[in-house]
Amino acid sequence: MPTESSGVERGQLRSVVVKMAEDGPVYTCDEVTDVTCAETCVSLEACMECGCAVLQDEGGPWGSAMDVIFCLLPIVFLLVVTLKPKPMATTLSLPLAALLMFLVRLMYLGSDPLLTSGSVIAGAHEALTPLSIMAGAMSLFEVMEATNCMPFMMREMKALTKGHPVAELMILFSFAYMVEGASGFGTPVALGAPMLISLGHPKLESVVVLLLMNTFATVWGAAGTPIWFGFGGLGLTEDEFIEISYKAAVCIAIAAYLLLPFVLSIMVPKTLLNKNRLFIAASLSTCVLPSLGLSFAFYEFPALIGGLVGCIGTSVLIHYRVGLSQHEPDELLLETGRHPMEIASVCEESIVHDYRKQQSVDFSVSTKGPAQEIASTESKPITNPNGMAQNDIEIAENDNPVDPVGSKKEADENLGRGVSFDDPVETIEATEDAGDGIVSFDDDEALKRKNEVDRERSIFQRQGTSMSDAVTTDSLRAVEDHFGPRKAVGEGYVKELLLRTFPIWGTILILFLTRVEQIGIKELLQRTDPHFSIYFGTYGTFEMSASLVVSLKDILTYPGLSWTYALLYVPFLVPFILMSALTVFIFRKELTRGVGKMRRNVLGRLVGPAKALVGALILVELMLNGGEASPASLIGTTLSEAMAGGWIAIAGFIGVLGSFFSGSTTISNLTFGNIQMIAAENIGTSTTSLLALQACGASAGNGVCLNNIIAACAIVGLTNVGEGTIIAKTYKYVLGFVVIATIGMLIFFLRF
């Protein structure tokens, strides 16, 4: 008798498996139950019309243990060459790992050569999604710099936070949380990291912190896609989806309160964090607690609404200085080498860079003590930390002028990084660590700096003033020179604020309108009918719908193996390119460089990441395609059967593994959701609890996801730091997240 079963495979239609005879082959067919066509067809065209393929046996010839070893071999290779002291570039390691998986599938697993080769083609096409998102994000920030919207926004942010690094980080946390809820696709890091860098923070640490911040929200990314789509093929009810949502939310909330202070310590001295524990807890609560409450009723909106409430709540806390300690710029300068009121740029061309080049001096901290004058070769207004002019004191040259770095040549080499105090005897030189932008000093120089800071502070304290009352930065002065003093509300401030921040709030608004299914636009952007098609022979059938959804179906004649790209839904043309074009139009008279120059800058920065991402996505397709015979399924099934109850200890890490190689919480859930369900049934525990743990692990895995790391580094121009360096900084937080989530699930939800 024929037997039937159903399942969903990545990139394939729901299919029916039919066994024709006792000793006959097993087929997987699209939308048909009679496979007589596949048995009798003789020509390629006729067999393609049948829509059937022979289903491969699961596993290789040497048993399930060797299956796991061989299937993990490419991943182990990738980890070793990426994390070793002198790592291999991902432009080489990822294609090599994909090649190794290709050989494992053909030479050991004996996979269908059409499916295996077609997966390579599908993976190469899949790389278009992250590359286009990167191109769109880069274009938006290039335009924001060229129109001077970014410097304006950073000045306003500094005016709100007074340069307080904890305040800046917490408002970026809620912002990234909200963007993840609206969009997903790695957009929070693509938007948040450049903003953090523009606030004056080092590039490397900014990328690391944003990657880790993004691990707390992706369970509900893109209006809950990882839940309703990631677990959509498991036959779960609406109530079970909500159970997964709130169980994951409880564990994520616990992890956020325990781990986020340690994440912030990557960029903020621990002494300052300890002084602001109340603010951190209050700010985190404005975001996480609404998200937790919503998760008991929805699985689409916890991150989106929680992040929005968090942005508003954190801004109010900052405005009224609730829990925020007073911070002295000189103290932060001593500990980090960066002045808290410093503004930077992710682009090489900006008003800040232009100003410094024109002045031919290093970034300097100018102080005017009550008992002394500071030497300068020109008159400059001293400004307070919010960038407003404090007085028009003329600073004249005295008998012992001080060169902040020692020579103009050194000033050019260390442009924007030197720091000087009024000391005619000694100067301290600062050097920039490769890749991270942090100014560092050797022990002797640090001691000299501390002595100088203490001396300057004591002078101000004797007079009842503070160094922060007479401090400015060249970057803020550059913004002030361009825009003038900040306007009052009645002087057109609101209009200027709305226009200059339009690229960001407009992007968020469009993401919200196009991602929330209830609005109706999302469905329009993803329609596949009506469409036209072009037959490209055995390569596949190309289709394009009226909504500009393009696809390549039946790649290499393999039924159901396809690639799809929704041109208007993937965050590329909408919203990034659209907002870039609108911003250029609004500020066309203020452009500092042409559109052609910006386009060349973006394309030039995509070359390296393109090589790595093509290799990464080919590896993903080779891991996932093939249903129960795929390497990912073989790994999960074998381990879950072998470990029995011990599976709970690694269930979260399986989610991390899925995100590590696929770059997506949704794909991790798609890949391992069925395995987690089978394991729960075998163990005799709650299915929704184990799926929630899978979702938590997949969310945490975004902190070590190679695709996200490559994209983030390309967007911010961090080209001289290997991905292994970033993973070495993030992995311990990811491991901590999974351990906390596992313990939380065991305490509150898992029962045997």
Side-chain angles (χ1 to χ4, degrees), residues 375-579:
S376 175
T377 57
E378 62 182 310
S379 299
K380 296 180 182 179
I382 295 179
T383 59
N384 59 26
N386 65 9
M388 301 293 290
Q390 188 178 29
N391 54 48
D392 294 324
I393 298 176
E394 296 292 328
I395 306 175
E397 181 177 3
N398 66 8
D399 296 333
N400 295 296
V402 179
D403 187 337
V405 181
S407 70
K408 185 178 182 300
K409 179 179 179 181
E410 289 173 330
D412 293 337
E413 291 174 352
N414 299 293
L415 187 61
R417 297 293 179 185
V419 181
S420 67
F421 290 85
D422 180 30
D423 189 339
V425 180
E426 296 179 313
T427 61
I428 297 176
E429 297 182 1
T431 59
E432 185 175 345
D433 291 342
D436 60 10
I438 297 178
V439 179
S440 63
F441 306 92
D442 61 31
D443 293 339
D444 293 338
E445 290 172 338
L447 182 60
K448 293 177 183 177
R449 169 60 52 79
K450 183 178 186 303
N451 292 336
E452 291 187 29
V453 171
D454 290 342
R455 176 174 56 82
E456 295 289 334
R457 186 189 295 113
S458 65
I459 295 174
F460 283 98
Q461 288 174 345
R462 285 197 299 270
Q463 299 296 326
T465 60
S466 169
M467 290 183 69
S468 61
D469 293 332
V471 177
T472 189
T473 65
D474 281 349
S475 55
L476 274 179
R477 187 179 292 117
V479 177
E480 291 296 327
D481 284 357
H482 181 83
F483 292 108
R486 295 179 67 225
K487 299 177 181 178
V489 174
E491 298 175 352
Y493 173 76
V494 175
K495 178 182 178 181
E496 185 177 28
L497 180 66
L498 290 174
L499 284 175
R500 293 290 179 182
T501 59
F502 172 67
I504 292 297
W505 66 257
T507 297
I508 301 301
L509 178 62
I510 292 175
L511 287 173
F512 176 82
L513 294 175
T514 57
R515 264 56 186 178
V516 178
E517 197 162 1
Q518 287 79 355
I519 296 176
I521 299 176
K522 177 179 179 179
E523 191 270 336
L524 292 175
L525 300 181
Q526 294 182 302
R527 283 184 178 175
T528 55
D529 290 307
H531 68 269
F532 73 89
S533 60
I534 303 174
Y535 178 60
F536 286 135
T538 57
Y539 189 77
T541 301
F542 174 83
E543 293 184 356
M544 176 179 285
S545 73
S547 298
L548 298 184
V549 177
V550 297
S551 60
L552 185 66
K553 295 188 173 181
D554 297 334
I555 299 172
L556 296 187
T557 73
Y558 194 89
L561 182 60
S562 62
W563 161 78
T564 301
Y565 181 83
L567 188 60
L568 298 181
Y569 183 73
V570 172
F572 169 49
L573 291 182
V574 181
F576 287 140
I577 299 301
L578 174 61
M579 292 305 303

Side-chain angles (χ1 to χ4, degrees), residues 196-422:
L196 201 53
I197 292 166
S198 296
L199 285 169
H201 297 279
K203 286 185 177 181
L204 176 60
E205 282 75 8
S206 296
V207 170
V208 169
V209 167
L210 258 298
L211 284 169
L212 292 173
M213 285 181 173
N214 195 40
T215 61
F216 298 103
T218 63
V219 167
W220 309 284
T225 300
I227 293 179
W228 65 260
F229 185 74
F231 297 131
L234 302 181
L236 301 175
T237 66
E238 195 77 4
D239 288 341
E240 287 175 319
F241 282 148
I242 291 177
E243 279 189 38
I244 295 171
S245 175
Y246 76 71
K247 288 178 179 180
V250 170
C251 295
I252 288 173
I254 296 171
Y257 280 105
L258 293 177
L259 288 180
L260 190 60
F262 294 99
V263 173
L264 299 181
S265 69
I266 296 173
M267 301 185 71
V268 179
K270 292 182 180 179
T271 54
L272 187 59
L273 285 177
N274 291 333
K275 296 177 182 177
N276 293 274
R277 284 177 294 183
L278 175 60
F279 170 78
I280 295 172
S283 174
L284 188 57
S285 297
T286 64
C287 179
V288 172
L289 293 185
S291 180
L292 176 61
L294 287 165
S295 69
F296 283 83
F298 306 98
Y299 52 84
E300 302 102 327
F301 307 123
L304 177 59
I305 298 179
L308 178 61
V309 174
C311 286
I312 297 172
T314 300
S315 298
V316 172
L317 292 173
I318 294 172
H319 179 75
Y320 290 103
R321 320 304 289 179
V322 177
L324 273 179
S325 68
Q326 294 294 327
H327 68 289
E328 290 291 340
D330 52 309
E331 293 177 353
L332 288 175
L333 188 63
L334 177 62
E335 295 196 48
T336 67
R338 181 187 65 82
H339 191 274
M341 297 303 292
E342 171 71 345
I343 293 176
S345 170
V346 295
C347 303
E348 294 183 357
E349 301 176 30
S350 68
I351 59 175
V352 173
H353 288 169
D354 291 344
Y355 180 89
R356 287 171 174 165
K357 289 177 182 178
Q358 292 170 3
Q359 297 297 319
S360 295
V361 295
D362 284 6
F363 154 66
S364 63
V365 177
S366 304
T367 62
K368 181 168 179 61
Q372 56 186 346
E373 289 188 351
I374 301 171
S376 175
T377 57
E378 62 182 310
S379 299
K380 296 180 182 179
I382 295 179
T383 59
N384 59 26
N386 65 9
M388 301 293 290
Q390 188 178 29
N391 54 48
D392 294 324
I393 298 176
E394 296 292 328
I395 306 175
E397 181 177 3
N398 66 8
D399 296 333
N400 295 296
V402 179
D403 187 337
V405 181
S407 70
K408 185 178 182 300
K409 179 179 179 181
E410 289 173 330
D412 293 337
E413 291 174 352
N414 299 293
L415 187 61
R417 297 293 179 185
V419 181
S420 67
F421 290 85
D422 180 30

Side-chain angles (χ1 to χ4, degrees), residues 648-666:
I648 292 175
I650 68 165
F653 294 102
I654 292 295
V656 172
L657 177 65
S659 293
F660 170 75
F661 66 72
S662 73
S664 166
T665 303
T666 301

Side-chain angles (χ1 to χ4, degrees), residues 11-26:
Q12 299 187 358
L13 301 173
R14 183 173 295 275
S15 53
V16 180
V17 177
V18 181
K19 186 173 182 178
M20 292 299 298
E22 187 68 26
D23 299 322
V26 180

